[in-house]
Amino acid sequence: MTYKLSTMALALMSLSLSACGGSDADKIQKEYDRIEDQIRGEYRRAERNLSNNEKDMLKIIESVFMPEESLDKFVDKLTPEGGKGGLYVGHFVEFDDGDANDIDIGALYFDISKDAAGSVDGRISYQQQPCQDNRTLSTDTAVKVDNAITGKLSGSLDSLKILDMRYIRDLNVETPSIMTTFYGSFDKDATGSPWVGNFQYQDGLGGTKLSSTNANCPISYTLSNRSSFSTYPLDYSRGDLKLAINGLGAKSRLSWQTPANTAHVLVSQININDAESGANGFERNQIFGAETKAFEPMMTATPINYAFVVQAFDQNNNLIGYQALVQYLPTTSTANE
């Protein structure tokens, strides 16, 4: 957002910092009361001068935080604690896409501000195999307030499956631009204390079949109008996956064990430095069947801090296994031995 909204954002950040300064409840309440009037004034002043893009963002925020025209309720939601921040990695599940043959799970992560009010960076990936281009939807003006997150996701995915692949390449058909709004909340009472929520396309692309345009990459999938997501901190685990890195340098392999009743395994490799700086942290996402129990990481010659996340699902796309491993790779001076 531009400067027109920055004063309000600073007021929110000031609130989180001031409220956390002491344990005296009366002092905290007094500080809230003092800043509440400032927030109201800045909010109304900014609202009169919003650009069209900022007005769209405001509607999203209002839909989540102010469902009853309640700036009062918005202010009331601010607390000194809020939902936990940091890097949360998980998956999304699509609903009712009209295609019984495609895979309805995918990878996503959010890097969430640790303050009571702050920014959210994240990516959603539809990559199922390494032969697909590493396209993602990325957050656009996404925010966290207390235990809620909301914002836009935009980007481009694979091409529409409307013509034979050679004609798509010859005609230079562009990949579809996609925009979706998302919202989620922090569930401290759930196992693993996840951030969970959903997103819904705004482009009328639900039910559209997309396909990789890369040669020798027979991947196709159908978009759904609506998806839910669950993301977890990297120290969360479910099931006994026995996740490990075996070998050195270019011979390193990620291995795991699948739980009983596993139908699909989603493996993600994330460059933590990129993810925490707002860039695309996904190096590779790959979906396997239950019989596969190893993954070949992508590596450069320079060691990088990666998060490897393995998620196992049953035939109904229910999560039955989760484990993450953070490690610098390669473990030798060169990635190509």
Side-chain angles (χ1 to χ4, degrees), residues 43 47 50 54-63:
Y43 180 90
E47 190 176 18
L50 295 179
E54 290 167 340
K55 287 178 181 178
D56 290 341
M57 187 62 207
L58 181 62
K59 289 179 181 178
I60 298 171
I61 294 175
E62 287 176 342
S63 71

Side-chain angles (χ1 to χ4, degrees), residues 96-98 201-209 222-226:
D96 304 324
D97 63 6
Y201 296 115
Q202 307 298 303
D203 311 273
L205 287 174
T208 302
K209 179 165 283 191
T222 303
L223 294 178
S224 171
N225 282 315
R226 182 173 62 92

Side-chain angles (χ1 to χ4, degrees), residues 135 159-160 162-176 213:
R135 295 190 180 98
S159 294
L160 301 172
I162 55 175
L163 296 170
D164 184 89
M165 292 298 101
R166 65 179 181 276
Y167 293 120
I168 289 180
R169 288 193 294 272
D170 292 345
L171 296 173
N172 193 29
V173 175
E174 295 183 358
T175 59
T213 57

Side-chain angles (χ1 to χ4, degrees), residues 44-332:
R44 293 192 175 100
R45 182 186 68 79
E47 190 176 18
R48 291 192 297 268
N49 297 284
L50 295 179
S51 67
N52 289 335
N53 187 55
E54 290 167 340
K55 287 178 181 178
D56 290 341
M57 187 62 207
L58 181 62
K59 289 179 181 178
I60 298 171
I61 294 175
E62 287 176 342
S63 71
V64 177
F65 299 118
M66 292 174 274
E68 302 174 10
E69 309 179 28
S70 50
L71 180 58
D72 289 332
K73 291 184 179 294
F74 174 75
V75 173
D76 290 342
K77 282 181 178 288
L78 299 176
T79 69
E81 297 180 3
K84 290 184 179 179
L87 183 60
Y88 280 70
V89 181
H91 62 275
F92 67 86
V93 178
E94 296 183 321
F95 296 101
D96 304 324
D97 63 6
D99 186 347
N101 296 316
D102 75 340
I103 294 175
D104 293 323
I105 57 176
L108 83 162
Y109 70 78
F110 290 115
D111 183 45
I112 302 169
S113 171
K114 295 181 180 179
D115 294 315
S119 62
V120 178
D121 292 315
R123 298 276 173 160
I124 291 182
S125 173
Y126 290 75
Q127 185 183 37
Q128 298 178 18
Q129 298 298 327
C131 59
Q132 282 177 274
D133 290 335
N134 186 18
R135 295 190 180 98
T136 61
L137 303 184
S138 62
T139 53
D140 178 9
T141 55
V143 296
K144 166 196 173 182
V145 177
D146 189 23
N147 65 342
I149 55 176
T150 186
K152 294 179 183 178
L153 292 159
S154 60
S156 63
L157 298 180
D158 293 300
S159 294
L160 301 172
K161 190 175 178 60
I162 55 175
L163 296 170
D164 184 89
M165 292 298 101
R166 65 179 181 276
Y167 293 120
I168 289 180
R169 288 193 294 272
D170 292 345
L171 296 173
N172 193 29
V173 175
E174 295 183 358
T175 59
S177 295
I178 293 174
M179 193 275 283
T180 177
T181 56
F182 79 94
Y183 68 89
S185 60
F186 180 71
D187 191 349
K188 65 180 181 181
D189 296 325
T191 303
S193 298
W195 283 90
V196 297
N198 61 69
F199 56 91
Q200 184 169 347
Y201 296 115
Q202 307 298 303
D203 311 273
L205 287 174
T208 302
K209 179 165 283 191
L210 304 182
S211 177
S212 172
T213 57
N214 292 344
N216 302 315
C217 190
I219 300 296
S220 64
Y221 55 98
T222 303
L223 294 178
S224 171
N225 282 315
R226 182 173 62 92
S227 300
S228 67
F229 66 79
S230 299
T231 60
Y232 299 88
L234 295 179
D235 60 358
Y236 171 68
S237 65
R238 179 182 297 186
D240 186 13
L241 300 186
K242 293 182 170 57
L243 193 61
I245 293 285
N246 305 297
L248 298 175
K251 297 180 180 179
S252 297
R253 296 293 182 271
L254 182 75
S255 65
W256 61 87
Q257 292 187 5
T258 53
N261 301 318
T262 295
H264 296 102
V265 176
L266 171 61
V267 182
S268 300
Q269 179 182 355
I270 299 170
N271 182 320
I272 293 180
N273 294 336
D274 284 348
E276 292 181 343
S277 66
N280 180 15
F282 279 131
E283 293 285 353
R284 177 183 292 174
N285 295 289
Q286 193 165 354
I287 295 176
F288 298 97
E291 68 283 354
T292 303
K293 300 178 181 179
F295 171 85
E296 181 177 347
M298 294 182 63
M299 287 183 288
T300 63
T302 303
I304 294 175
N305 199 22
Y306 293 111
F308 295 93
V309 182
V310 175
Q311 302 174 78
F313 302 85
D314 65 16
Q315 62 180 357
N316 296 315
N317 295 328
N318 296 312
L319 182 69
I320 58 175
Y322 183 105
Q323 189 176 352
L325 186 154
V326 177
Q327 185 166 326
Y328 277 94
L329 286 180
T331 52
T332 59

